Amino acid sequence: MLLVLFLLPLLWGALSLLRAGAAYGAPDCPGLQLDAEGESSPGPMHRSDRCALSYDTATGRSTGTSTYDQLKFAQEVKRRSLKREGAVFVLYGAAGIGITFAVTRKHVKTK
């Protein structure tokens, strides 16, 4: 039972590290992706594209936009955060499992 308390963070950390490893390439536009002429542009984002983060349906205009470089920077920040989180959880889980095995093994030998 005690191992589950350390196994779950270990698995969560491994998942976070995998997510960090997958966060490469062109950034994802969470809104409407527009090309240099302002037309909708499906597919991977290019340097000349921008992303309409919020879209006003009444006027047909975007109310918030970000550039390729801004989204790429946000992607880098998220990747660093996931790597840090993953490393902390993996270390915590591995150390906890190791200590639990060492203590229970020592306890069994002394009986």
Side-chain angles (χ1 to χ4, degrees), residues 5 21 26 30 49 55 58 65 86 106 110:
L5 293 175
D49 294 347
Y55 190 76
T65 60
K106 188 185 297 183
T110 59

Side-chain angles (χ1 to χ4, degrees), residues 12-97:
W12 184 259
L15 182 65
S16 293
L17 289 174
L18 288 173
R19 287 178 54 207
Y24 283 97
D28 292 327
C29 174
L32 180 64
Q33 185 174 321
L34 305 171
D35 62 12
E37 290 80 37
E39 298 293 321
S40 178
S41 172
M45 198 167 186
H46 303 287
R47 284 216 172 267
S48 61
D49 294 347
R50 64 184 192 277
C51 182
L53 301 172
S54 181
Y55 190 76
D56 185 8
T57 55
T59 62
R61 299 176 143 277
S62 59
T63 55
T65 60
S66 62
T67 64
Y68 177 91
D69 291 330
Q70 289 170 331
L71 288 174
K72 192 68 174 171
F73 177 74
Q75 182 183 34
E76 294 291 328
V77 169
K78 180 69 174 174
R79 183 176 340 154
R80 277 184 260 144
S81 174
L82 285 170
K83 282 181 182 178
R84 219 178 0 255
E85 175 187 306
V88 167
F89 278 118
V90 165
L91 288 173
Y92 171 79
I97 290 172

